[in-house]
Amino acid sequence: MHQTVGRYGYREIRLPTFESTEVFSRGVGEETDIVSKEMYTFEDKGGRSITLRPEGTAGVVRAVLENGLLASSPLPLKSYYIQSCFRYEKAQKGRYREFHQLGIECFGTHEPAADVEVMAVAYDLLVAVGLADVVTLEINAIGCPSCRPVYHEALKQYFSEYRDKLCDTCQVRLDKNPMRILDCKNEACQDIAKNAPVMRDYLCEDCVEHFDKVQKLLQEADMAYVVNPRIVRGLDYYTNTVFEFIAEGVGTQGTVCGGGRYDGLIEQLGGQPTPAVGFGLGLERFLMLLEERGKLPPPPPGPALYAVGIGEAGRAAARRLAARLRTMGLAAETDLADRSVKAQMKAAGRLGAAFTTVLGDDEVAAGKAMLKNMDAGTEVPFELAATDALYDLLTAPVTGA
Ligand code: HAM
């Protein structure tokens, strides 16, 4: 992930685990489920209200503004993070109270090309691990402050007729955030929502033009997508383009990655008006998909060498050898538990060491020992002082070390 986002020019930002509560209540929106129901909010010893971050975007914007990064960096400013987030949700498959996100945020350009590049980053991540065919990119346009209020009114009018048939949550949404009814999982609400007015018919000219360009660029980039008018996202800051990568097999929560444009958030949090776009990708859901499709990467390789030591001199030589190899960039281990030769060999096997060597008084006196290839079972002699030659033996391609 670090490499893929790095290729697009994203640089890592590390954020505090908690922020002032208002960063999220103002950023994500008081009426959202995240803020109204799901935040871990505490009072600290100084009587300040603090909140464990439920998501990354608001914190990045806070940090970027506080440190004047928009003024001091070439735009667009591209930041990414891999971090834990906390939401007090009903835990189930693919939905946890502490989870992890890779998030990217691109600040300072209104161009549809930025929306599409952000989607391409997520797409590349999924392609890189063989998940491209497993997920569908769904996009939608949810309007801007000039066209969305009209749409809200139309929705309110439509849903008001069915008020009594909506679930309890949606009855509240009807007054505060009617768009959220569109993605309610309740069957009755879904049925009613089927014939609800769609944002597309209410978009202003600018939003239509933007969304058309986004689609043109997606086609140009050969990225398959579906326009889904039901995608509204659960956070208030989005403007116009929103998108989700949806997969089967991550519990009822099919969204592996969600994001969109949020052109108003920076100004709302006290900065100059600055357009922005980004996404958050859930690492647990991503790993779950990999596991289900048998695409989890193999475990990391064991050490290149496990140096077995016998007696004081042998153990000291084993430690010296391991230390030298580490300075040359190889992983090398020795026994730290005063174990027998047999137990040390067993440990080397369990760790998956590519090679082992046994060093005792004789080897130390002769300055020579045998290097054993653990896979092939073959042995070759080497000189303890000739570290370069040993390095070559350990890294020869045939060994797979
Ligand atoms: P979000 O849709 O709330 O967006 O979360 C992004 C992703 O985090 C989801 O698609 C999902 O994979 C994962 N996720 C969310 N909640 C949970 C949970 N309780 N357990 C496991 N995984 C979860 C955001 O957070 C926005 N900040 C994304 C963004 C960045 N938009 C613009 N920039």
Side-chain angles (χ1 to χ4, degrees):
M1 287 182 165
H2 289 284
Q3 283 171 3
T4 302
V5 301
R7 284 183 208 127
Y8 284 86
Y10 282 83
R11 295 183 50 197
E12 189 172 11
I13 182 163
R14 296 201 179 171
L15 298 153
T17 311
F18 59 82
E19 300 270 355
S20 279
T21 299
E22 64 161 15
V23 169
F24 303 114
S25 53
R26 282 172 58 201
V28 178
E30 295 279 6
E31 307 306 339
T32 60
D33 285 353
I34 294 180
V35 171
S36 63
K37 296 194 232 158
E38 298 168 2
M39 293 207 304
Y40 283 91
T41 298
F42 307 94
E43 205 169 85
D44 74 3
K45 290 196 194 311
R48 289 168 288 247
S49 177
I50 57 161
T51 293
L52 299 182
R53 58 182 172 222
E55 60 102 51
T57 312
V60 177
V61 171
R62 195 270 312 143
V64 159
L65 291 179
E66 204 166 291
N67 294 287
L69 296 186
L70 289 172
S72 63
S73 324
L75 296 181
L77 171 66
K78 295 175 168 180
S79 302
Y80 81 96
Y81 46 88
I82 295 182
Q83 65 187 21
S84 53
C85 298
F86 307 83
R87 294 184 192 176
Y88 191 76
E89 294 195 86
K90 203 164 150 216
Q92 52 177 255
K93 190 181 176 200
R95 205 208 273 162
Y96 309 105
R97 290 183 175 162
E98 178 172 6
F99 61 98
H100 296 78
Q101 278 187 352
L102 159 73
I104 73 168
E105 314 292 352
C106 174
F107 299 104
T109 169
H110 187 267
E111 283 305 304
D115 308 29
V116 174
E117 189 182 271
V118 162
M119 294 182 217
V121 175
Y123 188 72
D124 274 9
L125 286 163
L126 295 161
V127 170
V129 295
L131 289 181
D133 299 338
V134 175
V135 297
T136 314
L137 168 61
E138 300 195 349
I139 63 171
N140 191 22
I142 59 165
C144 66
S146 81
C147 54
R148 203 183 311 155
V150 187
Y151 178 56
H152 271 193
E153 272 318 306
L155 280 181
K156 270 188 189 172
Q157 239 176 27
Y158 171 82
F159 284 118
S160 293
E161 288 183 29
Y162 303 93
R163 184 180 278 272
D164 297 343
K165 299 199 175 86
L166 294 171
C167 72
D168 292 350
T169 317
C170 282
Q171 295 196 9
V172 178
R173 287 173 175 158
L174 181 53
D175 298 319
K176 298 188 164 158
N177 197 352
M179 260 169 61
R180 289 288 290 163
I181 303 176
L182 297 176
D183 73 347
C184 179
K185 303 280 182 283
N186 182 299
E187 248 175 60
C189 299
Q190 276 186 0
D191 263 358
I192 299 168
K194 269 187 197 137
N195 297 317
V198 287
M199 184 70 225
R200 176 88 204 173
D201 299 333
Y202 292 80
L203 291 178
C204 62
E205 220 174 281
D206 283 353
C207 285
V208 169
E209 198 184 307
H210 189 97
F211 196 53
D212 284 349
K213 188 81 192 284
V214 165
Q215 293 188 61
K216 192 166 159 260
L217 293 174
L218 280 171
Q219 289 157 17
E220 216 177 273
D222 277 335
M223 284 167 62
Y225 68 91
V226 178
V227 177
N228 179 355
R230 302 255 169 277
I231 294 198
V232 298
R233 312 279 301 128
L235 306 90
D236 272 358
Y237 47 63
Y238 292 110
T239 48
N240 210 9
T241 317
V242 289
F243 65 89
E244 293 186 346
F245 283 86
I246 318 246
E248 280 186 12
V250 277
T252 53
Q253 317 295 313
T255 313
V256 197
C257 171
R261 186 161 270 293
Y262 51 99
D263 290 346
L265 182 62
I266 290 135
E267 192 179 7
Q268 203 177 310
L269 290 181
Q272 296 295 321
T274 310
V277 53
F279 71 67
L281 179 144
L283 296 192
E284 286 78 7
R285 293 185 192 177
F286 184 79
L287 288 171
M288 212 180 268
L289 275 180
L290 286 177
E291 195 172 17
E292 276 168 13
R293 315 283 151 154
K295 290 181 192 282
L296 275 181
L305 178 74
Y306 192 102
V308 175
I310 312 171
E312 217 172 290
R315 285 177 177 275
R319 282 194 293 273
R320 263 199 311 277
L321 190 61
R324 249 184 283 146
L325 290 173
R326 288 186 205 114
T327 63
M328 299 174 86
L330 293 181
E333 291 196 43
T334 59
D335 176 46
L336 296 177
D338 203 21
R339 284 179 283 204
S340 67
V341 176
K342 204 172 146 201
Q344 290 186 53
M345 287 303 287
K346 217 168 159 184
R350 272 209 212 103
L351 289 170
F355 289 89
T356 54
T357 184
V358 180
L359 305 180
D361 289 345
D362 291 350
E363 284 77 13
V364 174
K368 275 191 203 145
M370 298 303 284
L371 183 69
K372 180 172 178 183
N373 182 321
M374 294 292 276
D375 264 348
T378 50
E379 289 193 292
V380 287
F382 73 100
E383 305 217 352
L384 288 182
T387 328
D388 285 349
L390 177 60
Y391 181 92
D392 289 344
L393 286 172
L394 292 173
T395 54
V398 63
T399 66

